[in-house]
């Protein structure tokens, strides 16, 4: 039974959430509506521990619409009706009606699904981190992504990158990622990265990208205005489906120590996670950090992350503007870049005036 305190915390979460949805006018308009809707907030108390409520709820509603739910709410989604989408300001009453009509279906998705965002452009951040790591260690690395979902970032070396006015990666890649570079000095040579000896994902619920329902859920987590991100996701999922990487199912706290022991002794390993620690229940985050660091028991560990300031690694105080950070075998945290959450841009930590 939901408590008044739980409902109040969810209401506060949605009241503050518009600042999160920087590229979705629709979700920004709907957040206050959900914040004031007790019935919908009560439904969200049934979600699995650690799942970010606004991402989960909007993903569930989007999923039902993508699956063919016949309701006027679809008229507000550019992902469904393109440029003819209605103005977001009028969507509030329509959303409330949608939640009443589809309460059972929404409740099932909220209880069973996980927020498994697959922002393909985050591979740009990982590519940069691999360049940094390549300056510190020689030879191939073993790549592990925690919270890998479908495993799209595990193929970081197979994508083409257009960053600023430079290009990196294979010219015949089927996936091309573009990001703005905010620095005045040129980027380093992002082709100068160590080869990947093995690639392994870890996820609570590995995604079978050959399953249409699973792919639809991943698509539903893309905000409705971000068609470019959806197109990139489809291309990356097609690439993954052609040669699925190994993704181990289970809680990282239990999986990571054994995974580390299975890697060749003495060989460097890179662990990457993005917008993953934020979904780990607060009481388990220290154990999550220790489990990842245990992968370094058998060889040099380079731990790279892109997490919101609300979920930094250990005691590291993250840049509130968003950052990419890492630590090497010495355990010292090193911020690398300022980054947009969806990697539409990246730049130096201290841009010139």
């Amino acid at each position: 039974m939901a408590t008044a305190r739980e409902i109040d915390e969810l209401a506060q979460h949605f009241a503050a959430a518009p600042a999160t949805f920087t590229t979705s006018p629709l979700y920004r308009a709907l957040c206050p509506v959900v914040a004031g809707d007790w019935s919908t907030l009560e439904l969200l108390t049934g979600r699995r521990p650690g799942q970010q409520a606004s991402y989960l709820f909007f993903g569930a509603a989007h999923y039902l619409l993508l699956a063919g739910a016949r309701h006027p709410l679809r008229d507000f989604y550019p992902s469904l009706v393109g440029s003819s989408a209605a103005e977001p300001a009028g969507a509030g009453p329509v959303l409330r009606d949608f939640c009443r009509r589809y309460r059972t279906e929404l409740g099932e998705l909220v209880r069973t699904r996980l927020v498994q965002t697959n922002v393909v452009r985050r591979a740009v951040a990982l590519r940069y981190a691999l360049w940094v790591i390549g300056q510190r260690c020689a030879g191939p690395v073993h790549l592990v992504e925690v919270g890998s979902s479908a495993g799209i970032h595990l193929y970081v070396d197979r994508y083409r990158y257009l960053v600023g006015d430079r290009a990196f990666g294979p010219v015949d890649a089927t996936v091309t990622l573009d990001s703005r570079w905010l620095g005045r000095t040129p980027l380093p040579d992002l082709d100068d990265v160590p080869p990947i000896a093995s690639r392994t994902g870890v996820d609570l619920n590995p995604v079978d990208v050959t399953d249409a329902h699973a792919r639809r859920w991943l698509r539903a987590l893309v905000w409705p205005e971000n068609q470019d991100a959806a197109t990139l996701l489809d291309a990356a999922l097609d690439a993954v489906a052609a040669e699925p990487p190994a993704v181990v199912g289970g809680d990282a706290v239990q999986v990571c120590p054994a995974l580390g022991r299975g890697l060749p002794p003495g060989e460097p390993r890179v662990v990457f996670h993005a917008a993953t620690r934020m979904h780990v229940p607060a009481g388990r985050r220290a154990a999550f950090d220790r489990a990842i660091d245990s992968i370094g028991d058998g060889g040099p560990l380079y731990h790279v992350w892109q997490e919101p300031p609300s979920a930094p690694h250990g005691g590291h105080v993250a840049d509130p503007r968003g950052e990419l950070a890492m630590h090497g075998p010495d355990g010292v945290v090193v911020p690398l870049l300022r980054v947009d959450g969806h990697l539409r841009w990246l730049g130096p930590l201290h841009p010139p005036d």
Side-chain angles (χ1 to χ4, degrees):
M1 186 72 177
T3 66
R5 180 177 178 179
E6 289 178 287
I7 301 294
D8 185 60
E9 289 174 348
L10 281 167
Q12 293 179 43
H13 167 78
F14 275 92
T20 300
F21 296 106
T22 54
T23 59
S24 179
L26 177 61
Y27 287 175
R28 290 201 302 271
L30 292 178
C31 282
V33 177
V34 180
D37 189 339
W38 178 282
S39 177
T40 299
L41 296 174
E42 185 178 40
L43 180 149
L44 284 162
T45 63
R47 71 194 188 283
R48 294 168 66 169
Q51 297 305 295
Q52 210 261 23
S54 54
Y55 288 4
L56 183 63
F57 170 72
F58 288 130
H62 198 187
Y63 178 89
L64 292 175
L65 292 169
L66 289 169
R70 300 181 64 82
H71 190 275
L73 184 62
R74 66 181 289 109
D75 295 337
F76 293 88
Y77 281 70
S79 53
L80 294 163
V81 297
S83 60
S84 64
E87 286 296 317
V94 187
L95 176 71
R96 284 191 287 268
D97 181 75
F98 180 85
C99 290
R100 286 192 294 270
R101 288 200 207 180
Y102 290 92
R103 183 176 180 82
T104 299
E105 294 85 349
L106 286 169
E108 176 68 15
L109 290 169
V110 164
R111 287 191 301 273
T112 60
R113 297 285 185 167
L114 300 173
V115 178
Q116 294 176 288
T117 52
N118 285 252
V119 179
V120 190
R121 281 192 179 92
R122 287 178 180 148
V124 178
L126 177 55
R127 182 84 176 201
Y128 185 92
L130 285 172
W131 172 81
V132 173
I133 292 164
Q135 309 309 299
R136 302 183 180 196
C137 77
V141 299
H142 297 273
L143 177 61
V144 177
E145 184 183 11
V146 176
S148 61
S149 185
I152 57 177
H153 299 130
L154 292 170
Y155 286 142
V156 58
D157 54 336
R158 301 187 184 182
Y159 301 151
R160 185 74 168 160
Y161 298 88
L162 305 178
V163 186
D165 60 355
R166 302 191 64 185
F168 310 96
V171 296
D172 59 348
T174 60
V175 177
T176 298
L177 309 180
D178 61 306
S179 291
R180 288 187 295 130
W181 170 244
L182 302 186
R184 292 184 183 175
T185 57
L187 273 166
D189 181 7
L190 299 188
D191 281 326
D192 183 19
V193 296
I196 297 174
S198 70
R199 55 196 93 215
T200 309
V202 177
D203 201 274
L204 284 171
N205 183 38
V207 176
D208 177 4
V209 296
T210 66
D211 180 88
H213 299 287
R215 285 186 65 146
R216 184 184 301 135
W217 175 249
L218 300 184
R219 174 64 184 85
L221 293 169
V222 178
W223 303 346
E225 296 86 353
N226 296 356
Q227 185 55 48
D228 59 335
T231 300
L232 280 176
L233 177 61
D234 284 340
L237 291 177
D238 287 343
V240 169
E243 188 182 344
V247 179
V248 181
D251 189 324
V253 173
Q254 280 79 49
V255 169
C256 286
L259 192 158
R261 290 191 296 270
L263 295 174
E267 297 187 8
R269 50 285 313 262
V270 176
V271 178
F272 175 65
H273 55 88
T276 295
R277 195 178 187 273
M278 65 180 286
H279 296 295
V280 177
R284 288 179 60 79
R285 286 179 180 172
F288 176 85
D289 295 340
R290 288 193 299 271
I292 289 178
D293 289 344
S294 74
I295 294 176
D297 291 346
L301 171 67
Y302 298 88
H303 178 185
V304 182
W305 62 88
Q306 183 208 332
E307 298 287 348
S310 60
H313 175 75
H316 174 62
V317 179
D319 189 321
R321 298 168 298 181
E323 71 177 22
L324 175 72
M326 65 170 280
H327 72 68
D330 59 5
V332 177
V333 174
V334 180
L336 301 179
L337 290 171
R338 286 193 305 132
V339 294
D340 166 60
H342 290 180
L343 261 292
R344 295 180 182 275
W345 58 260
L346 62 160
L349 293 167
H350 303 292
D353 296 331

